[in-house]
Amino acid sequence: MVAEPGGPDDQKPQSDEARSAFSQPAGVERSVPSADDDHPTSEFSLPSGLAPEPQGPAAGPGTGTASGSDTIGSAFAPPRTYDARNSPPAFTPAHGIPMIRLTKEAPWQDRMRTMLRMPVHDRPAPETVQRHDDAAGPAVPRVLDLTLRIGELLLAGGEGAEDVEAAMFAVTRSYGLDRCEPTVTFTLLSISHQPSLVEDPVTASRTVRRRGTDYTRLAAVFRLIDDITTEEGEISLEEAYRRLAEIRRNRHPYPGWVLTMAAGGLAGAASVLVGGGPLVFLIAALGAMLGDRLAWLCAGRGLPEFYQFVVAAMPPAAMGVALTLTHWSDVRPSAVITGGLFALLPGRALVAGVQDGLTGYYITASARLLEVMYFFIAIVAGVLLALYGGLQLGAELDPEARLISHDRPVVQILASMVLTLAFAILLQQERSTVLAVTLNGGVAWVIYGAMARTGGLSAVAATAAAAGLVGLFGQLFSRYRYTSSLPFITAAIGPLLPGSATYFGLLGVAQNELDRGLASLSTAVATALAIAIGVNLGSEISRLFMRVPGAVGGANRRAAKRTRGF
């Protein structure tokens, strides 16, 4: 049966696909598509109704035009306000950033310190000095171990944290290891090496268990580093290990009895500086030698250094009390006790601690200064025990003795040089450096005497100026000999140590005169800080007059910028 046209079956759709779900419903006017619908504009094009900015005739390629085109300038094109002739400093110049060039004539300490203060991405590639197998490359674990052993000897010898890091950095770069980061704290050394950006880093560490003062060994380590960083000589890893073992096995240049005599000479010379005579010199020397032997005995029994300082401080103070009880009119007990304190004050640790703090190594500086505080407390305890005992026995110690003036410039200059010489022997310095440091100590006392005694300036300011001169001369001497500056600085600050202020501060505390005692102890602390800051400032000033490696054009080494209080 066939349906008739116009019947009810004609009103139904033929199938489900006869009409799309997205078709326009009946009764709605259909919009006519434009010719641009098939070519939509970019999402970076200007929106409708916004006219593009007119471009000047100097507009470069890719900066866009004033036409109605939807394409605009490239994202890598310079902005419209950019001028190639007067480019702002925020943009990298067309010729690139100048590469840092390190001068070969500068000592390795300055070269490595310069790179340590650079950002990592600005450091130049290492210039391998020592040869290695080109196929296998440098032996990374052995180079890192050698570096840590060298840093251990330097840190145990009293070298500053920045100088230890510079030495470790020099060794690794000389053997061809790039991307090395050494880290030094008070008792721990670590170094990390990353072979490439896609490989895991290699990290090694070493702990400093024992510390000892031997500047002869320190100078030998500096010579080894200088030979490793020099292109003229080839030092293999085996040769470096052999020389390092010889340095470790090397005996001290002075025997024990010479060190004891040097301690006595130091105390005797210090007593002359504060007004003592020949008899005071002998008594102070005897007390210091007795204290030194007792400290050696305690060290042999395994007692910590704190108790060694307590024991070493008691004999000089006891001799001063004994002289007071015997009523010797021609002997000044205060000079005897002050001389004994000069031989015990930790000037070396103080200078190293303040130097680490000024160069940004705050953890190491805090640990060093804490060590200085413990030593100072030990000296205070030893002297106070003797003073309290003397006061109980009826000793009348005169706190006004410090007001006596001593105008003996020639004798005091000679005494300061003897004190520096004895201090240099106690530090186990090389015999070739003893004369230079002795003269440096004499010059320091001349400057201090001229400013404080003749000029009438503050003793703290005069001490800081003299210590600055010591640091300046010490750096010049060390650069001339390509070695550490400590042997030329530490002993020379001996005459400037605040032994007299320390004694009279302790005497005021022992006599229950806390105001006067604390004021004198504050002067001693201020003097000690003036010494440390002056030495560091003199060292920094010396580098201003040297050719420091940097960018072509004389750029100085970089340092941390001030934080402006935040």
Side-chain angles (χ1 to χ4, degrees):
M1 178 176 175
V2 179
E4 297 182 1
D9 295 336
D10 232 9
Q11 304 299 326
K12 298 180 181 180
Q14 300 298 325
S15 66
D16 293 338
E17 299 178 356
R19 178 178 297 171
S20 171
F22 297 99
S23 62
Q24 191 170 5
V28 178
E29 184 178 354
R30 183 180 180 183
S31 59
V32 180
S34 62
D36 295 337
D37 284 347
D38 294 335
H39 304 282
T41 59
S42 169
E43 61 181 351
F44 297 103
S45 61
L46 293 175
S48 177
L50 181 64
E53 297 181 4
Q55 302 294 325
T63 57
T65 61
S67 65
S69 174
D70 290 334
T71 60
I72 62 173
S74 170
F76 299 98
R80 182 175 55 85
T81 57
Y82 175 78
D83 186 3
R85 295 182 179 179
N86 301 316
S87 59
F91 294 97
T92 303
H95 53 78
I97 299 176
M99 185 181 65
I100 301 295
R101 300 182 182 273
L102 301 178
T103 59
K104 297 293 184 180
E105 295 79 6
W108 64 264
Q109 298 99 314
D110 288 334
R111 299 201 310 267
M112 297 303 112
R113 190 181 291 109
T114 300
M115 282 188 287
L116 280 175
R117 295 187 177 186
M118 289 182 187
V120 178
H121 58 274
D122 288 346
R123 293 175 182 172
E127 301 175 358
T128 305
V129 176
Q130 305 302 329
R131 299 179 182 177
H132 54 77
D133 188 0
D134 295 335
V140 175
R142 297 196 66 194
V143 173
L144 296 183
D145 180 71
L146 175 67
T147 303
L148 289 174
R149 291 178 182 271
I150 290 177
E152 178 190 9
L153 286 179
L154 294 177
L155 187 61
E159 196 67 53
E162 186 181 29
D163 293 325
V164 175
E165 285 193 2
M168 297 170 66
F169 204 65
V171 174
T172 55
R173 290 182 67 89
S174 298
Y175 284 106
L177 295 188
D178 195 8
R179 293 183 293 274
C180 285
E181 287 295 333
T183 304
V184 175
T185 58
F186 185 58
T187 57
L188 181 65
L189 300 98
S190 63
I191 186 168
S192 177
H193 166 65
Q194 189 172 10
S196 66
L197 297 178
V198 297
E199 296 182 68
D200 295 332
V202 180
T203 303
S205 61
R206 195 173 183 87
T207 303
V208 178
R209 301 291 182 184
R210 297 184 60 185
R211 299 178 182 273
T213 305
D214 190 345
Y215 283 176
T216 299
R217 179 180 297 176
L218 192 68
V221 176
F222 266 79
R223 283 194 294 268
L224 173 60
I225 300 172
D226 188 62
D227 293 340
I228 290 175
T229 57
T230 304
E231 295 182 351
E232 285 74 12
E234 181 178 350
I235 307 294
S236 62
L237 284 174
E238 289 74 13
E239 176 67 16
Y241 268 109
R242 185 190 62 80
R243 290 182 56 177
L244 194 62
E246 290 180 354
I247 293 173
R248 285 181 174 273
R249 291 194 301 264
N250 187 26
R251 298 180 62 86
H252 298 304
Y254 306 103
W257 66 270
V258 174
L259 298 180
T260 301
M261 296 292 294
L266 193 155
S271 65
V272 175
L273 281 179
V274 294
L279 185 58
V280 171
F281 179 94
L282 294 177
I283 297 175
L286 182 61
M289 288 189 290
L290 181 58
D292 182 75
R293 285 292 91 190
L294 290 177
W296 277 88
L297 183 62
C298 294
R301 297 298 184 269
L303 286 179
E305 284 186 297
F306 180 86
Y307 301 104
Q308 296 176 29
F309 272 84
V310 172
V311 172
M314 292 179 67
M319 285 195 169
V321 171
L323 290 176
T324 304
L325 292 174
T326 55
H327 302 287
W328 282 22
S329 58
D330 55 344
V331 176
R332 292 185 57 208
S334 61
V336 175
I337 301 176
T338 302
L341 290 176
F342 265 89
L344 297 175
L345 292 176
R348 174 184 59 87
L350 175 67
V351 171
V354 175
Q355 181 178 358
D356 287 341
L358 294 176
T359 52
Y361 295 83
Y362 300 113
I363 297 178
T364 308
S366 301
R368 289 186 189 271
L369 294 178
L370 184 62
E371 181 188 36
V372 171
M373 185 187 72
Y374 272 107
F375 290 162
F376 191 78
I377 292 175
I379 296 171
V380 168
V383 175
L384 283 180
L385 286 175
L387 292 181
Y388 275 127
L391 292 176
Q392 296 300 322
L393 295 176
E396 297 179 359
L397 298 171
D398 185 13
E400 302 297 332
R402 57 180 169 180
L403 301 177
I404 302 176
S405 60
H406 315 287
D407 296 328
R408 300 178 299 173
V410 177
V411 174
Q412 290 183 332
I413 292 174
L414 294 178
S416 66
M417 297 177 68
V418 172
L419 188 153
T420 306
L421 174 63
F423 203 173
I425 295 175
L426 286 175
L427 295 174
Q428 303 279 1
Q429 288 192 199
E430 291 182 304
R431 293 179 175 86
S432 59
T433 64
V434 170
L435 178 60
V437 71
T438 301
L439 295 176
N440 201 10
V443 171
W445 183 259
V446 169
I447 298 299
Y448 170 79
M451 296 181 65
R453 302 288 176 82
T454 305
L457 298 179
S458 170
V460 176
T463 301
L469 198 62
V470 167
L472 176 62
F473 286 167
Q475 286 292 338
L476 295 178
F477 283 138
S478 65
R479 293 304 184 267
Y480 176 75
R481 297 175 61 92
Y482 290 91
T483 184
S484 172
S485 61
L486 289 181
F488 302 98
I489 291 177
T490 307
I493 65 174
L496 305 176
L497 293 175
S500 180
T502 303
Y503 162 68
F504 288 110
L506 297 179
L507 180 59
V509 173
Q511 294 178 341
N512 291 326
E513 298 178 359
L514 296 181
D515 293 340
R516 183 169 57 187
L518 292 179
S520 186
L521 288 177
S522 301
T523 303
V525 172
T527 304
L529 292 177
I531 293 173
I533 296 175
V535 167
N536 181 266
L537 182 60
S539 301
E540 295 295 329
I541 290 176
S542 68
R543 297 190 181 103
L544 298 178
F545 298 99
M546 300 177 186
R547 182 170 57 178
V548 178
V552 178
N556 293 328
R557 60 174 185 158
R558 300 180 182 180
K561 294 181 180 179
R562 62 193 179 108
T563 58
R564 297 181 184 273
F566 53 83

